[in-house]
Amino acid sequence: MNQANVFTPSHKPMGFWGEVGFPARGPKLHQALHEGFPFDVYSKLAKLSGLDKSDLASATVIASATLQRRAKSGKFNRDESDRLYRFAEVFKAALDLFEGNNDRASLWLKSQVRGLGNKRPVDMLATSAETEAVLDLIGRLEHGVFA
């Protein structure tokens, strides 16, 4: 028996980004975005976030006809992949804010938030500027800065 396998667990927990199916940062993420995420990322994000697939499509601005085409081709294009990444990044930040509680993170995303002008975070992911505003608010909430 190989000595290295004796001390190395055969199954490491994947974590959020592993479960979603793409890297969180770095050159591998950049390459995956340019090549287009595999279609199964969409189902994984819906399942992890607790959003139904139509709400995820709305949040990522991907039309149902486009989803049908991507299901057949097996992957998203670069822009769609970027919007899916933005959603994943916001959901992960909300998950961290709520200490890993998927239900609370999902509820927060779907609720009107005063710090966002009473908009729902899930409705503010269509542009990078709005996504940045949501991430900025999450960062302020994590650090107790409410103004």
Side-chain angles (χ1 to χ4, degrees):
M1 177 180 253
N2 184 343
Q3 281 285 55
N5 291 336
V6 173
F7 300 105
T8 306
S10 60
H11 184 274
K12 294 190 289 186
M14 291 194 333
F16 177 81
W17 297 106
E19 287 184 56
V20 171
F22 54 84
R25 302 266 182 272
K28 288 184 180 181
L29 169 65
H30 306 156
Q31 181 180 352
L33 285 165
H34 281 276
E35 292 174 359
F37 289 159
F39 185 77
D40 68 338
V41 162
Y42 183 77
S43 297
K44 291 175 184 179
L45 278 173
K47 182 179 178 183
L48 285 170
S49 69
L51 290 178
D52 64 43
K53 290 181 179 182
S54 63
D55 286 340
L56 181 56
S58 179
T60 55
V61 195
I62 301 174
S64 60
T66 301
L67 281 173
Q68 291 173 356
R69 286 194 307 275
R70 300 303 177 245
K72 288 179 184 172
S73 73
K75 71 180 193 174
F76 290 97
N77 70 25
R78 182 181 60 205
D79 292 333
E80 295 153 356
S81 296
D82 186 53
R83 290 193 301 266
L84 289 165
Y85 173 74
R86 285 198 308 249
F87 174 83
E89 191 174 35
V90 167
F91 183 70
K92 174 65 168 101
L95 247 177
D96 291 345
L97 177 65
F98 291 103
E99 299 175 351
N101 186 316
N102 283 46
D103 293 336
R104 289 183 65 204
S106 180
L107 179 63
W108 185 81
L109 284 176
K110 296 185 277 186
S111 300
Q112 291 181 340
V113 176
R114 185 170 39 175
L116 296 172
N118 291 319
K119 292 184 178 178
R120 299 178 336 146
V122 76
D123 294 332
M124 294 187 63
L125 306 178
T127 67
S128 57
E130 290 174 307
T131 302
E132 196 62 38
V134 174
L135 290 169
D136 182 55
L137 176 62
I138 291 171
R140 291 194 327 256
L141 291 171
E142 282 184 321
H143 294 95
V145 180
F146 300 107

